[in-house]
Amino acid sequence: MAKIGKRTAKAREAFGTQTSLSVEDAVSLVKGAASAKFDETVEVAINLGVDPRHADQMVRGVVSLPNGTGKTVRVAVFARGAKAEEAQAAGADIVGAEELMQSIQGGTIDFDRCIATPDMMPLVGRLGKILGPRNLMPNPKVGTVTMDVAQAVKDAKGGQVQFKVEKAGIIHAGVGKVSFPAEKIAENVRAIVDAVSKAKPSGAKGAYLKKVSLSSTMGPGVSVDLASATAQ
């Protein structure tokens, strides 16, 4: 059995057997137990009653967190001409076309979000095997294939979060930093749970939202009462 570190053991002791807490109580517990030397991310895990192997049970979407994520998001944009200039003016970190594709093919991926104008998708499509597994492939369903590249860049930089259910039926997302005021983290938690709830696929049967948990980067998780998580 793996040895449990002192920090983890202390955090687990603080959490005890507490479960199904209100969002506010869970946030306070997570913030209080965070003891790393860096500003840990507060993460939410949402367990769903879906099997993403079936197309009609796939869950994905995007949500703009009301208080941002506290994370600096590096944005790459595939565009040419005037649209490339718009992206640069909006604050995109990398803008290009063929040269950007070649850079990515060479193994350089210095960005967290990839946006493309529709005419660039034949080019970007060649990168599917590289960007797809990293959840970086531009997709019109989440607003990353668009002619309004300036707005897409601003959204990405301003706290927009993409979510996609994993094979095990769980969605993970960062909802702020432990340095955030507790009420701002709670707002962000409810915003993403609401967005995931509204993204319920047609093929979902039975209970859809099964469990919501909060944790910090280095800390254990604590389950949140579903009624509290879905209260707006």
Side-chain angles (χ1 to χ4, degrees):
M1 182 181 290
K3 184 178 180 180
I4 297 175
K6 291 182 179 179
R7 180 186 293 126
T8 302
K10 184 177 180 180
R12 287 183 178 179
E13 183 180 346
F15 281 37
T17 58
Q18 299 188 68
T19 58
S20 298
L21 301 177
S22 69
V23 172
E24 285 74 16
D25 286 345
V27 169
S28 295
L29 193 59
V30 168
K31 279 172 61 70
S35 58
K37 294 181 179 179
F38 61 92
D39 194 6
E40 297 181 55
T41 295
V42 178
E43 302 172 353
V44 64
I46 306 173
N47 294 58
L48 302 175
V50 298
D51 184 350
R53 292 176 296 178
H54 301 286
D56 65 349
Q57 294 187 49
M58 173 55 66
V59 181
R60 73 180 303 163
V62 63
V63 58
S64 292
L65 298 183
N67 304 299
T69 63
K71 178 183 177 182
T72 299
V73 178
R74 301 166 299 170
V75 179
V77 178
F78 279 90
R80 289 193 179 99
K83 289 300 174 182
E85 293 176 3
E86 286 180 24
Q88 289 176 329
D93 299 274
I94 308 168
V95 181
E98 283 81 5
E99 70 279 10
L100 178 53
M101 178 191 71
Q102 293 168 2
S103 177
I104 293 171
Q105 288 176 327
T108 301
I109 303 177
D110 294 331
F111 53 87
D112 309 296
R113 183 76 59 89
C114 188
I115 296 165
T117 53
D119 60 298
M120 288 284 100
M121 287 311 293
L123 190 70
V124 179
R126 303 179 199 176
L127 302 170
K129 291 183 178 180
I130 300 174
L131 298 180
R134 294 172 172 81
N135 200 27
L136 290 172
M137 192 68 180
N139 189 312
K141 293 182 179 180
V142 293
T144 49
V145 177
T146 176
M147 288 300 289
D148 194 355
V149 291
Q151 187 60 52
V153 170
K154 291 175 183 176
D155 288 342
K157 294 277 190 179
Q160 189 184 70
V161 171
Q162 293 182 13
F163 57 84
K164 181 179 179 181
V165 67
E166 300 170 2
K167 291 181 180 179
I170 302 173
I171 285 175
H172 288 99
V175 290
K177 297 290 186 177
V178 294
S179 60
F180 279 23
E183 63 272 15
K184 292 189 180 296
I185 298 175
E187 278 188 89
N188 283 352
V189 170
R190 290 192 171 102
I192 193 166
V193 171
D194 181 60
V196 171
S197 180
K198 290 177 178 176
K200 181 179 179 179
S202 60
K205 307 297 182 184
Y208 174 56
L209 291 176
K210 299 178 70 175
K211 183 180 179 181
V212 176
S213 302
L214 287 182
S215 65
S216 63
T217 304
M218 303 296 290
V222 58
S223 63
V224 177
D225 177 66
L226 285 177
S228 178
T230 54
Q232 292 289 327

